[in-house]
Amino acid sequence: MANVTAAMVKQLREMTDSPMMECKKALVEADGDIEKAVDVLRKMGVAKAVKRAGRDTNEGTIATHISEDGKVGAILELTCETDFVGTNPKFTDFAAELAKVVAQNDPADVEALKACAMGDATVADELTEMIHVIGENMKIARFRRVSVEDGALSSYVHLGGKLADLAWFSLTKAETAQSDAFKVFAHDVAMQVAAAAPVAARREDVPAETVEHEKSIYMAQAAESGKPAFIQEKMAVGKLEKFYKEIVLTEQEFIKDSSMTIADYAAKVGKELGDTVKVEGFVRFAFGE
C-alpha cells in the first residue's frame, strides 16, 4: 500500500476543495493515486465543490461580530449563488461564525482566514462542507477587523444583511461602554453610518484630494458670478462647509433628531455619563461593492 503523505492530502484538497479527512480516506482507497482519489471523492459525493467552484456568486450576506468587552469587532461579506440561500439562516449563521473567527484570529487575508481553526477543522474545511450541505458555491469576498484599546465598538446590519457597518468610539472610563446610554448612542451612530453613507468620521479624515477637487469646482462656480476674488473665496468656502456637513459623520445631522449633529450627540452622552465620548471611525460594507 502506498504511503499517503501530508503533501498528497494537501494537493488533493486544493484540487477538489474537499475536507482533509475525506481526502486522506480517498487516497488510501486509491492506493496513493491522485487521479483515482478524485474519482473516489466524486463517488462519495464529496467532490461536488469542484463543479460548483466556477459558478457565479452574486448573492449573499454581510455579517458582523463584536467581542463581549466591545473592544474587538469584525465585518465579513460571504457570497453565494441565489438569494434563497443568501437569506437561509444556516448560511447567515455561518457568515456570523466566520466574522467571529476573524475577530478572534486577525487573519491577514482570505487565504489566512481559510487556514484558521474553526471548531475541530479549519475555515476552508467548514466552507467546503457548507458548499456540500447547501449545494451552492460560496466565497469569502472580504472582511475587516477593528480593535480599540480605550473605547468600544458597535455594529448595525440592515436590509437583511445587504448593508452593514462597524463604528468605533474612544472613551476615558471603561465603565462607560457598559452603560445603557452609551449603548443606545453607539447603536444610533452605527445606524447613521448605514443610512447616511458618510465618507469619513471626522473632517481631518477626508482625503486631501477629495477636498481639493470639491474646492476647485466651487471656485470655478464662484468665478462665474463675476464677483471680487475675496467674495469668490468666501462663496467656495461656504459650499465646502456644506459639503463637510453632508459627508462627515460627526458633522451630519442626526437622522433621529435634526436639531443636533452626531458630534453634539456624542457631547450630550459624554456629559450625561461624566466622560469624553468621541466617534473615531467606521467601516461600511454594501453588498457587492
Side-chain angles (χ1 to χ4, degrees), residues 189-219:
V189 173
M191 183 174 64
Q192 175 97 13
V193 171
V199 169
R202 302 166 300 191
R203 187 176 290 207
E204 59 266 33
D205 298 329
V206 180
E209 58 269 26
T210 300
V211 176
E212 286 305 312
H213 175 70
E214 288 299 316
K215 190 174 180 182
S216 67
I217 291 173
Y218 301 148
M219 287 297 289

Side-chain angles (χ1 to χ4, degrees), residues 2 23 85 90 103 125-126 178 205 208 239:
C23 288
V85 167
K90 188 184 285 287
D125 292 332
E126 293 296 338
Q178 302 307 317
D205 298 329
K239 286 191 174 183

Side-chain angles (χ1 to χ4, degrees), residues 52 97 119 125 149 160 168 180 189 215 237 259 279:
R52 295 192 177 110
E97 283 299 312
D125 292 332
E149 286 188 20
W168 54 97
D180 289 340
V189 173
K215 190 174 180 182
V237 169
S259 71
V279 180

Side-chain angles (χ1 to χ4, degrees), residues 11-12 21 31 85 93 104-105 108 122 133 155 179 194 205 222 224 229-230 233 248 264 271:
Q11 183 183 348
L12 185 58
M21 291 310 296
D31 203 24
V85 167
D93 288 351
Q104 293 176 339
N105 293 271
T122 64
V133 169
S155 66
S179 68
D205 298 329
E224 292 294 316
F230 76 96
E233 177 74 20
V248 175
D264 294 334
K271 186 176 180 181

